[in-house]
C-alpha cells in the first residue's frame, strides 16, 4: 500500500511538471499583399465596386450603372501589358433620351495620364469604346483610368449628371 501511494505521488508530480503552460499568443506583423485588382470590372459584380473610384452611380437592374461626365476606375494590368501594351474596352450605351436631347456624345480616356483618342457616338444604343494603350502606361500596377464626356443630362428633380450607361470597363491583353 505504501508503495502504491508513493507511486501515485510520483506519477502526479511528473504529470504536474510535465504539463507546461502553453506559450502565450504573440501577435506578429505579417507581410500581406494587397488584393489583386481585376483587369475588367463588371457593373453587375458588387465585389468589384471598390475599383470604381469616382463618377459611377448605384447599380441599376444589377447589370449596369449610370456615370457622370467624369468617371474613374482602377484596373489591374493584364499579363504582358508592361511589355506589349493592352486594349482599353468600355462597354456602354448612349441612352435614347440622351441621344434625342444631346444628338452626340464624345468619350475620351486617359490610362495613367496617357491620353487615348476620343470617340463620338451619334446613335442611341450599345457602343464599345476600344483603343490601344501603349506599354508605357503600365509603369504601375494597378493603373488609373479616367473617362470624360463632353455632354450630359441633368434630369429635373434628380440632381445627377447622367452621361453614359456602363456595363463593363476593362483592359484586355494584346
Amino acid at each position: 500500500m505504501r508503495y502504491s501511494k508513493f507511486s501515485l505521488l510520483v506519477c502526479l508530480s511528473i504529470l504536474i511538471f510535465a504539463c507546461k503552460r502553453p506559450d502565450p499568443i504573440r501577435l506578429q506583423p505579417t507581410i500581406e499583399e494587397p488584393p489583386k485588382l481585376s483587369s475588367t470590372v463588371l457593373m453587375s459584380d458588387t465585389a468589384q465596386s471598390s475599383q470604381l473610384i469616382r463618377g459611377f452611380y448605384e447599380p441599376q437592374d444589377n447589370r449596369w450603372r449610370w456615370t457622370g461626365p467624369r468617371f474613374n476606375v482602377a484596373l489591374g494590368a493584364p499579363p504582358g501589358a508592361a511589355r506589349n501594351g493592352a486594349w482599353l474596352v468600355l462597354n456602354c450605351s448612349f441612352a435614347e433620351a440622351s441621344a434625342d436631347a444631346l444628338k452626340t456624345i464624345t468619350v475620351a480616356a486617359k490610362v495613367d495620364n496617357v491620353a487615348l483618342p476620343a470617340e463620338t457616338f451619334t446613335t442611341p444604343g450599345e457602343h464599345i469604346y476600344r483603343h490601344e494603350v501603349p506599354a508605357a502606361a503600365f509603369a504601375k500596377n494597378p493603373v488609373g483610368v479616367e473617362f470624360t464626356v463632353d455632354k450630359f443630362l441633368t434630369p429635373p428633380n434628380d440632381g445627377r449628371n447622367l452621361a453614359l450607361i456602363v456595363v463593363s470597363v476593362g483592359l484586355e491583353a494584346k
Side-chain angles (χ1 to χ4, degrees):
M1 182 83 154
R2 188 191 252 182
Y3 183 70
S4 64
K5 286 183 182 178
F6 180 72
S7 302
L8 182 61
L9 184 61
V10 170
C11 287
L12 286 175
S13 297
I14 291 172
L15 282 174
I16 289 173
F17 290 110
C19 295
K20 292 191 237 175
R21 284 189 171 171
D23 288 336
I25 296 174
R26 292 186 185 103
L27 299 178
Q28 301 207 2
T30 59
I31 299 173
E32 294 183 25
E33 292 183 24
K36 235 180 180 178
L37 295 184
S38 176
S39 61
T40 298
V41 175
L42 303 173
M43 299 303 125
S44 60
D45 188 351
T46 56
Q48 296 175 325
S49 293
S50 63
Q51 291 183 241
L52 305 177
I53 306 302
R54 170 175 76 175
F56 290 90
Y57 293 106
E58 292 302 312
Q60 304 292 311
D61 297 331
N62 291 322
R63 292 187 359 217
W64 54 272
R65 292 175 186 256
W66 275 107
T67 68
R70 186 177 195 166
F71 51 103
N72 300 58
V73 63
L75 298 173
R83 186 174 51 258
N84 304 321
W87 293 98
L88 176 63
V89 180
L90 174 70
N91 289 312
C92 62
S93 288
F94 187 26
E96 193 165 330
S98 297
D100 290 345
L102 304 174
K103 306 300 181 212
T104 66
I105 192 166
T106 301
V107 181
K110 287 183 186 177
V111 177
D112 198 34
N113 290 320
V114 175
L116 302 181
E119 192 168 329
T120 301
F121 303 138
T122 58
T123 58
E126 295 180 19
H127 294 276
I128 295 178
Y129 173 95
R130 180 182 169 91
H131 289 279
E132 188 174 357
V133 181
F138 297 99
K140 297 183 277 182
N141 188 14
V143 294
V145 180
E146 177 183 358
F147 291 94
T148 55
V149 298
D150 64 338
K151 302 174 193 169
F152 56 89
L153 288 180
T154 305
N157 302 320
D158 190 325
R160 297 181 297 169
N161 296 324
L162 305 178
L164 291 172
I165 294 170
V166 173
V167 175
S168 67
V169 61
L171 292 164
E172 295 177 355
K174 279 185 165 179

